Amino acid sequence: MKKRQLGNSDLFVTELGLGCMSIGTDEKAARYIIDTALDEGINYFDTADLYDFGVNETLVGAALKPVRDKVILATKVGNRWRKDRSGWSWDPSKSYIKEEVKYSLKRLGTDYIDLYQLHGGTIEDPMEETIEAFEELKAEGYIRYYGISSIRPNVIREYVRKSKMVSVMMQYSILDRRPEEEAFPLLGEHKISVVTRGPLAKGLLSDRMLEKASEKGYLDYSRDELQEVLPLLKEKVALGRSFTEVALQYNLANPTVASVITGASNPEQVRSNAAAARSRALADEEISFIRQLTKASVYQEHR
């Protein structure tokens, strides 16, 4: 599995990362999925304190303990579960981040986190305080680097201006090309990497295609538009390849993207995604055709 540098850090992450949110809570099944990812050469594992009330971190940490020094372990912070677990509230305060990291470290069974990410963010947040927390954790050796998980251009711009983050995680796919317009140029200019999630657009860009389509469509696409666009993409670009290959390779065609995060609820999905990530890169004319056929929407609601 090929690796790419994460921003200006000394972390080199595999082009495919495992999003651990969907591995479940059965220890044996979760370990099988993670072991399969390791067998496929994946070194980048993404979790969050929010997932399964922290159980996800515990399972991921236990599975990766034998190879801890060989993997890149990323987790997230900022969402505080209510005591009755009925939901969570947003808390990007310095005090919360510096306290919560200790619990993540304990659950993960490690004394450092490779990439600590703010799990969201709004323009009203106390950003200077949040950044100060990350910088102090870095200086204290609890984390190696930090980034944010956000799709909001106004938030991303402020963190680019004020922080030393190395990455931004955001949704990106053939059917959600919004980052190309605003985020990618800015982040590329500042040598900040993108880690993408949702590359298969909720399964629409898999070989099951329209089986996954809802009556409401997807983002700016109506169901009728999806029924027109998806078969054309399959016919003109896939050409004997799986749709998953095309979807992942489209993300990887952008040099700002360091890694594509895909989830998996079973080992077979890991193997399939790994094969897709290792497949032939898209040709320039294929990328051009995809862009002509799809929408280059921009972020309207969070400017």
Side-chain angles (χ1 to χ4, degrees):
M1 185 75 65
K2 293 179 182 177
K3 296 177 183 178
R4 298 186 182 187
Q5 185 177 11
L6 192 69
N8 60 3
S9 76
D10 60 359
L11 303 179
F12 284 81
V13 296
T14 45
E15 291 183 335
L16 182 72
L18 180 65
C20 297
M21 183 174 67
S22 56
I23 62 173
T25 55
D26 180 89
E27 183 176 1
K28 185 176 179 180
R31 187 179 292 269
Y32 191 12
I33 293 169
I34 291 172
D35 285 346
T36 302
L38 291 169
D39 290 342
E40 292 292 337
I42 293 170
N43 80 339
Y44 185 24
F45 296 83
D46 181 85
T47 180
D49 58 2
L50 187 69
Y51 301 159
D52 296 315
F53 309 104
V55 172
N56 195 265
E57 285 185 325
T58 300
L59 294 176
V60 171
L64 294 177
K65 190 169 185 178
V67 292
R68 179 65 189 93
D69 60 336
K70 297 179 176 65
V71 297
I72 307 300
L73 187 50
T75 192
K76 312 182 197 74
V77 67
N79 293 295
R80 182 197 287 267
W81 278 108
R82 299 190 189 105
K83 288 184 178 180
D84 63 1
R85 295 188 173 184
S86 62
W88 61 84
S89 58
W90 178 239
D91 190 348
S93 67
K94 177 180 177 180
S95 59
Y96 179 68
I97 292 171
K98 294 205 69 176
E99 183 65 21
E100 184 61 22
V101 72
K102 298 174 185 176
Y103 295 111
S104 281
L105 287 167
K106 184 176 181 179
R107 288 189 293 263
L108 290 165
T110 185
D111 54 6
Y112 68 96
I113 294 165
D114 297 293
L115 180 66
Y116 204 33
Q117 301 159 104
L118 186 67
H119 203 174
T122 72
I123 201 67
E124 290 81 23
D125 289 346
M127 291 188 190
E128 289 82 0
E129 180 182 323
T130 303
I131 292 166
E132 190 173 89
F134 284 125
E135 288 291 345
E136 288 184 9
L137 289 175
K138 187 177 175 182
E140 292 160 0
Y142 292 114
I143 67 174
R144 294 176 68 187
Y145 298 97
Y146 64 91
I148 63 173
S149 176
S150 178
I151 62 170
R152 294 180 169 91
N154 53 359
V155 171
I156 292 170
R157 283 194 296 270
E158 287 302 297
Y159 274 94
V160 168
R161 187 170 68 87
K162 296 177 178 179
S163 80
K164 296 178 181 178
M165 66 177 179
V166 298
S167 64
V168 177
M169 175 181 275
M170 63 179 68
Q171 181 172 298
Y172 178 53
S173 73
I174 289 172
L175 295 179
D176 185 2
R177 294 175 48 214
R178 292 175 295 177
E180 294 175 357
E181 179 72 19
E182 194 162 355
F184 285 0
L186 175 67
L187 295 172
E189 177 187 349
H190 290 271
K191 295 182 172 57
I192 297 168
S193 287
V194 173
V195 175
T196 67
R197 58 179 177 81
L200 302 184
K202 296 186 176 179
L204 291 169
L205 296 172
S206 70
D207 288 325
R208 295 179 66 183
M209 292 199 305
L210 292 166
E211 289 180 40
K212 294 288 189 175
S214 73
E215 291 300 323
K216 296 179 181 179
Y218 183 76
L219 296 177
D220 290 344
Y221 293 87
S222 67
R223 184 179 175 86
D224 287 344
E225 287 175 317
L226 291 173
Q227 288 176 326
E228 180 181 350
V229 169
L230 292 176
L232 269 175
L233 286 170
K234 179 75 172 174
E235 177 187 353
K236 301 293 186 181
V237 184
L239 299 174
R241 308 175 71 182
S242 74
F243 217 168
T244 300
E245 290 180 32
V246 174
L248 297 194
Q249 290 302 327
Y250 183 79
N251 278 30
L252 291 170
N254 195 300
T256 312
V257 174
S259 186
V260 181
I261 300 295
T262 59
S265 56
N266 59 67
E268 289 71 29
Q269 288 178 341
V270 176
R271 296 187 189 102
S272 175
N273 291 334
R278 286 193 293 261
S279 67
R280 174 180 64 81
L282 292 176
D284 290 344
E285 55 268 27
E286 291 174 317
I287 295 170
S288 178
F289 178 79
I290 289 170
R291 289 176 177 167
Q292 289 172 21
L293 192 63
T294 56
K295 299 180 182 182
S297 302
V298 296
Y299 295 102
Q300 297 292 344
E301 58 198 290
H302 301 305
R303 283 181 175 276

